[in-house]
Amino acid sequence: MNPSAHPLWLVGFRPFFLLACLAGLAFPLLWALMFTGALPPPASPVSALQWHAHEMFFGFGWAVMGGFLLTATKNWVQVRGWHGLPLIGLVAAWLFERVGMAFGAGWPPLLFRLSNLLFLAAIVAMLLWTLLRHRRQDSFADNPFFYVVLPAFVAAKLLVLDEAHFHAGVTMAIGLYRMAFLVMLERTLTQFMKGLFQVELLRDRRLDGAIKLLGLALVFQAWLPVPLAAVLLGLLALLLAVRFVGWRPGLGFTRIDLAVMFLGYLAILAQLLVEAAGLLAAPAWVGSVSVHLFTFGVMGLIIPAMFVRISKGHTGRKVVFDSADKLVLWIMLAGLVARIVLPQLLPAAYGRWIHLSAGAWLLAFGILGLRLLPRLTAPRIDGKVH
């Protein structure tokens, strides 16, 4: 049997969602142990903090992003995503990057740079090739935003790995992920609410366009004058708040699978306000509240729900959240509270809250990964190939 014909390699979300679960359960816990001195930092050419940020944004984050985008092309441009041997190559490159980030301190600089850029450069090039080549049959008029966002991730990665520009790289990475989530929420939440409640959410081309243009401008926040950046952050938060009111949140919060999507939306809004406040007044938050509002509040809440929907829908199953799926979402909500809220109330126990929140990711992505494994390594149950 041809190994590349195994169900695991039929479509991008199958291997990459499993890798994301592995990264999601491991990376936060490893960082918590390093932060509290229970584990030495990895033998990496970069600092422990750079390793942590890089592995969450470009290890965990791009396993999610890569799996999603490789799969989404089927609906966006009516072309099957990369699969088989090219997909195996991408997974190998992702694993090579993890080895380099953990053990590459003694490697020749060229080898480390190869390990660090191969995966992202390859997958960005492959995704852009698909989107651009088939742009005439693109179902979404705003997909050209991805023509800018995808290659910009390479620049953000290089900045994160450069200690002198680390903060700018983190700000840029958050801005890029913010753009991706804004586009995704605009498309999916309206669809989910219409399908479940037969309601039409507020859609205004001028409002939607302004939100995405502001989001794109804020990708480059680190290079904007501070007053201008603060104004743009506040303006985007205001526009998101206006749209949120028209998106029927009262209905959305009646279901935990939709509630986490709405909470993720609110976390984007909150992160914008916290970031603006930090530029203008530097409030005495405990911990990196702005960064972790995004990583825990947006990525941490939305991604598990997305995994459940895609892994069921794209394997021929009915998209229904059972009790175990809902438990994962509640665990991630608890992790958000432990990482953001509790340190403000009891700052003396900061190390404990970091361990508790990392434990929430370990438990949630462990449960999710175990449940996804048999689903994603087996053929579709409806008889379709992919």
Side-chain angles (χ1 to χ4, degrees), residues 36-116:
T36 54
L39 191 71
S44 176
V46 298
S47 70
L49 182 59
Q50 286 174 284
W51 175 88
H52 172 53
H54 181 277
E55 292 303 83
M56 290 307 298
F57 285 128
F58 299 101
F60 169 75
W62 256 94
V64 176
M65 180 85 83
F68 173 76
L69 291 176
L70 289 169
T71 306
T73 54
K74 183 178 178 180
N75 294 327
W76 290 1
V77 292
Q78 291 76 56
V79 172
R80 182 180 178 185
W82 296 88
H83 57 282
L85 287 177
L87 183 55
I88 293 174
L90 286 175
V91 168
W94 186 92
L95 293 170
F96 183 30
E97 181 172 289
R98 307 284 72 74
V99 174
M101 285 300 298
F103 305 106
W107 291 10
L110 186 60
L111 179 61
F112 174 73
R113 187 62 70 189
L114 174 66
S115 74
N116 197 259

Side-chain angles (χ1 to χ4, degrees), residues 165-219:
H165 299 97
F166 171 72
H167 178 71
V170 169
T171 302
M172 188 175 185
I174 290 175
L176 291 167
Y177 277 111
R178 184 194 296 128
M179 273 297 299
F181 277 100
L182 287 174
V183 172
M184 187 270 289
L185 286 169
E186 183 181 292
R187 296 178 185 180
T188 58
L189 263 181
T190 51
Q191 174 190 343
F192 297 157
M193 292 292 283
K194 183 176 183 179
L196 291 170
F197 300 113
Q198 291 74 55
V199 296
E200 295 283 349
L201 300 191
L202 171 67
R203 294 299 304 274
D204 183 286
R205 290 179 62 184
R206 293 168 299 177
L207 178 59
D208 293 344
I211 285 171
K212 283 176 285 199
L213 286 172
L214 280 171
L216 186 61
L218 285 168
V219 167

Side-chain angles (χ1 to χ4, degrees), residues 77-381:
V77 292
Q78 291 76 56
V79 172
R80 182 180 178 185
W82 296 88
H83 57 282
L85 287 177
L87 183 55
I88 293 174
L90 286 175
V91 168
W94 186 92
L95 293 170
F96 183 30
E97 181 172 289
R98 307 284 72 74
V99 174
M101 285 300 298
F103 305 106
W107 291 10
L110 186 60
L111 179 61
F112 174 73
R113 187 62 70 189
L114 174 66
S115 74
N116 197 259
L117 289 176
L118 180 61
F119 166 70
L120 188 58
I123 194 169
V124 165
M126 292 161 75
L127 289 168
L128 286 176
W129 170 259
T130 300
L131 292 174
L132 289 168
R133 186 182 182 190
H134 303 283
R135 63 188 180 279
R136 292 183 180 176
Q137 58 206 52
D138 199 329
S139 304
F140 296 97
D142 57 358
N143 267 344
F145 279 103
F146 284 102
Y147 305 165
V148 178
V149 166
L150 292 177
F153 269 107
V154 178
K157 168 193 268 280
L158 293 173
L159 290 170
V160 167
L161 293 174
D162 182 346
E163 192 167 10
H165 299 97
F166 171 72
H167 178 71
V170 169
T171 302
M172 188 175 185
I174 290 175
L176 291 167
Y177 277 111
R178 184 194 296 128
M179 273 297 299
F181 277 100
L182 287 174
V183 172
M184 187 270 289
L185 286 169
E186 183 181 292
R187 296 178 185 180
T188 58
L189 263 181
T190 51
Q191 174 190 343
F192 297 157
M193 292 292 283
K194 183 176 183 179
L196 291 170
F197 300 113
Q198 291 74 55
V199 296
E200 295 283 349
L201 300 191
L202 171 67
R203 294 299 304 274
D204 183 286
R205 290 179 62 184
R206 293 168 299 177
L207 178 59
D208 293 344
I211 285 171
K212 283 176 285 199
L213 286 172
L214 280 171
L216 186 61
L218 285 168
V219 167
F220 307 100
Q221 174 193 326
W223 296 275
L224 297 175
V226 169
L228 176 59
V231 169
L232 294 182
L233 288 162
L235 181 57
L236 179 54
L238 175 62
L239 295 183
L240 287 173
V242 170
R243 191 169 68 176
F244 182 80
V245 174
W247 273 15
R248 309 291 293 272
L251 278 177
F253 280 113
T254 62
R255 297 171 54 110
I256 183 62
D257 55 312
L258 284 178
V260 291
M261 305 282 284
F262 279 94
L263 287 171
Y265 184 110
L266 287 177
I268 295 176
L269 196 159
Q271 189 269 335
L272 291 165
L273 294 176
V274 168
E275 183 70 13
L279 292 179
L280 296 175
W285 302 113
V286 177
S288 304
V289 172
S290 176
V291 172
H292 292 106
L293 258 176
F294 195 88
T295 54
F296 275 74
V298 184
M299 300 173 77
L301 295 185
I302 294 175
I303 286 170
M306 182 178 79
F307 278 15
V308 173
R309 284 193 176 90
I310 293 175
S311 69
K312 289 187 177 182
H314 284 267
T315 57
R317 293 167 170 83
K318 188 176 181 180
V319 181
V320 176
F321 282 69
D322 59 29
S323 57
D325 298 326
K326 294 175 183 178
L327 175 62
V328 167
L329 303 182
W330 283 111
I331 292 171
M332 294 303 287
L333 276 167
L336 170 63
V337 172
R339 188 63 184 84
I340 301 298
V341 179
L342 295 182
Q344 314 312 316
L345 302 177
L346 293 169
Y350 187 58
R352 185 182 304 167
W353 305 137
I354 289 181
H355 277 284
L356 187 60
S357 59
W361 277 58
L362 171 69
L363 183 59
F365 279 100
I367 294 171
L368 192 55
L370 289 173
R371 287 171 60 78
L372 292 185
L373 183 61
R375 195 180 302 162
L376 302 186
T377 55
R380 289 179 62 119
I381 63 172

